[in-house]
């Protein structure tokens, strides 16, 4: 009973801008914030920071954010990768996508970084408008 209460309290304490992704023995979690800018010090409107954790040996994971590619397509930029058990941090700032959409994040896994970056085994975080 106490464990259920503690788990509920921990979930309730998570900020509204938090995200959690999970794919093939890897997790990524952190915050996805919308930033305010002033004319004297403009900043990109999106700020993302978090942790990438790999739990399985022989597994590579990448955290990527979408950006506008050629011909209005979507491309994925790798924020960080991890190819052995452990954790690493990531942080980035980004612009909106075409049409004013917030860029999604994804966590992808594979046997090496190149395969993981191809995006075949992924979990995607699509932020609310």
């Amino acid at each position: 009973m106490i464990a259920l209460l503690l788990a509920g309290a921990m979930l309730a304490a998570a900020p509204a801008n938090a995200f959690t992704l999970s794919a093939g023995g890897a997790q990524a979690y952190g915050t996805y914030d919308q930033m305010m800018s002033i004319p004297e010090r403009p900043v990109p409107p999106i700020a993302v920071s978090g942790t990438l954790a790999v739990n399985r040996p022989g597994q590579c994971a990448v955290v990527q954010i979408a950006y506008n590619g050629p011909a209005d397509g979507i491309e994925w930029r790798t924020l960080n990768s991890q190819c052995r058990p452990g954790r690493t941090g990531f942080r980035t700032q980004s612009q909106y996508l075409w049409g004013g959409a917030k860029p999604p994040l994804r966590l992808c896994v594979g046997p090496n970084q190149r395969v993981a970056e191809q995006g075949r085994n992924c979990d995607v975080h699509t932020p609310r408008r």
Side-chain angles (χ1 to χ4, degrees), residues 55-68:
N55 301 320
R56 291 186 192 161
Q59 182 84 328
C60 281
V62 296
V63 176
Q64 299 177 311
I65 191 166
Y67 68 94
N68 295 313

Side-chain angles (χ1 to χ4, degrees), residues 23-85:
Q27 291 82 36
Y29 51 90
T31 58
Y32 189 110
D33 294 309
Q34 189 166 356
M35 306 300 289
M36 297 300 289
S37 186
I38 59 172
E40 297 82 23
R41 293 185 54 167
V43 297
I46 303 298
V48 178
S49 62
T51 301
L52 169 61
V54 173
N55 301 320
R56 291 186 192 161
Q59 182 84 328
C60 281
V62 296
V63 176
Q64 299 177 311
I65 191 166
Y67 68 94
N68 295 313
D72 295 338
I74 296 295
E75 301 285 330
W76 293 94
R77 179 172 47 105
T78 299
L79 304 178
N80 209 341
S81 64
Q82 181 78 10
C83 287
R84 64 186 192 289

Side-chain angles (χ1 to χ4, degrees), residues 16 34 102 125-129:
Q34 189 166 356
K102 295 177 185 176
H125 169 72
T126 304
R128 295 183 216 153
R129 282 196 155 240

